[in-house]
Amino acid sequence: MLNLEQLKLTFFEECGEMLPQIEGGLADIRDGKGTAETINTVYRGVHSIKGGAGIFGFEPLVDFGVVFEAVLGAIRGGHQTASPDVLAVLFAASAVLSDLVRMLQSGEAIPPDFGNDCRVALQKLVVEPDQQPATQEYPAKQVQSGHGGG
């Protein structure tokens, strides 16, 4: 049976696989190669890291993951565009997520305000369904295609 430390090692190994997938997915969207599955993959990566972090009580990672995931969910649902400005914030969020994983893995203390600027920028991007942007820019249109709504 695996002990907690072995499970943490597995979690960090999986993060090491998911973080490049998140970054690569965002790059594909930015470069016009994104599809509905691309945004789903990015979303699932952030969701998995956040969920695993919760199991181990890694609250800074969970808290940051919640707002990162909310923006990705808004894009998935067509309530937010994946415009260049939005993608810039998502790339910054991916870097913060990577830094949080690295710090937790190494046992480094995470400053209480670490990533706050990025968290605030993400929170500003969370759009409620009734506040949907009037125009959908690429790649949100392409990301929505083939997405069964919801």
Side-chain angles (χ1 to χ4, degrees), residues 74-88:
I75 293 170
R76 278 177 52 176
H79 308 296
Q80 177 59 270
T81 63
S83 68
D85 290 343
V86 170
L87 283 166

Side-chain angles (χ1 to χ4, degrees), residues 31-101:
D31 297 341
K33 299 183 240 173
T35 65
E37 188 54 35
T38 306
I39 195 67
N40 287 335
T41 298
V42 172
Y43 177 89
R44 282 191 303 268
V46 172
H47 179 77
S48 295
I49 290 171
K50 179 198 72 162
I55 292 170
F56 300 109
F58 297 149
E59 293 308 314
L61 189 52
V62 172
D63 293 344
F64 188 80
V66 165
V67 69
F68 192 176
E69 182 182 59
V71 175
L72 294 167
I75 293 170
R76 278 177 52 176
H79 308 296
Q80 177 59 270
T81 63
S83 68
D85 290 343
V86 170
L87 283 166
V89 174
L90 294 178
F91 274 108
S94 178
V96 170
L97 195 71
S98 293
D99 288 345
L100 286 167
V101 168

